[in-house]
């Protein structure tokens, strides 16, 4: 029996913050059937870059986590963001 494995990456303004989101996603593709990229209202071209990656590889899906002031949210905001991304996976294992 073969099980599918999924992975996820969360980011916001990866281009302006010099976060290697492309490398992060590419590193997951050799072992994952699906990769969720959870953008959070990027305003520096990151969203467009992610959608371009998704057009090039059907295993990549882009979703959005609405960005609110992280200072005003609870200290659990990062966990909520990660769980939001993980919940969008359709694979057997995450």
């Amino acid at each position: 029996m073969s099980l599918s494995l999924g992975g996820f990456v969360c980011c916001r303004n990866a281009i302006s913050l010099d976060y290697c989101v492309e490398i992060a996603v590419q590193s997951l593709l050799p072992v994952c059937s699906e990769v969720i990229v959870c953008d959070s209202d990027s305003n520096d071209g990151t969203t467009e870059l992610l959608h371009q990656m998704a057009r090039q590889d059907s295993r990549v899906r882009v979703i959005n986590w609405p960005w609110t002031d992280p200072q005003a949210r609870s200290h659990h905001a990062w966990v909520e963001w990660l769980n939001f991304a993980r919940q969008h996976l359709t694979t057997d294992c995450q």
Side-chain angles (χ1 to χ4, degrees), residues 43-55:
N43 56 16
D44 66 346
T46 297
T47 304
E48 293 77 13
L49 171 69
L50 298 176
H51 284 289
Q52 179 182 348
M53 292 172 63
R55 284 191 299 273

Side-chain angles (χ1 to χ4, degrees), residues 5 23-35 57 59:
L5 176 65
I23 293 171
V25 172
Q26 292 297 326
S27 72
L28 292 170
L29 288 173
V31 295
C32 291
S33 303
E34 176 182 42
V35 176
D57 193 317
R59 296 173 294 168

Side-chain angles (χ1 to χ4, degrees), residues 4-15:
S4 59
L5 176 65
F8 59 91
V9 176
C10 294
C11 67
R12 181 172 194 275
N13 290 337
I15 293 171

Side-chain angles (χ1 to χ4, degrees), residues 10-84:
C10 294
C11 67
R12 181 172 194 275
N13 290 337
I15 293 171
S16 63
L17 296 174
D18 200 28
Y19 173 62
C20 54
V21 68
E22 292 171 282
I23 293 171
V25 172
Q26 292 297 326
S27 72
L28 292 170
L29 288 173
V31 295
C32 291
S33 303
E34 176 182 42
V35 176
I36 298 294
V37 186
C38 189
D39 182 45
S40 193
D41 292 337
S42 291
N43 56 16
D44 66 346
T46 297
T47 304
E48 293 77 13
L49 171 69
L50 298 176
H51 284 289
Q52 179 182 348
M53 292 172 63
R55 284 191 299 273
Q56 292 173 350
D57 193 317
S58 62
R59 296 173 294 168
V60 177
R61 280 197 310 128
V62 180
I63 62 172
N64 187 68
W65 168 263
W67 185 258
T68 58
D69 181 5
Q71 308 299 342
R73 295 180 75 172
S74 76
H75 65 281
H76 298 288
W78 285 104
V79 174
E80 293 169 6
W81 189 7
L82 296 172
N83 283 333
F84 178 80

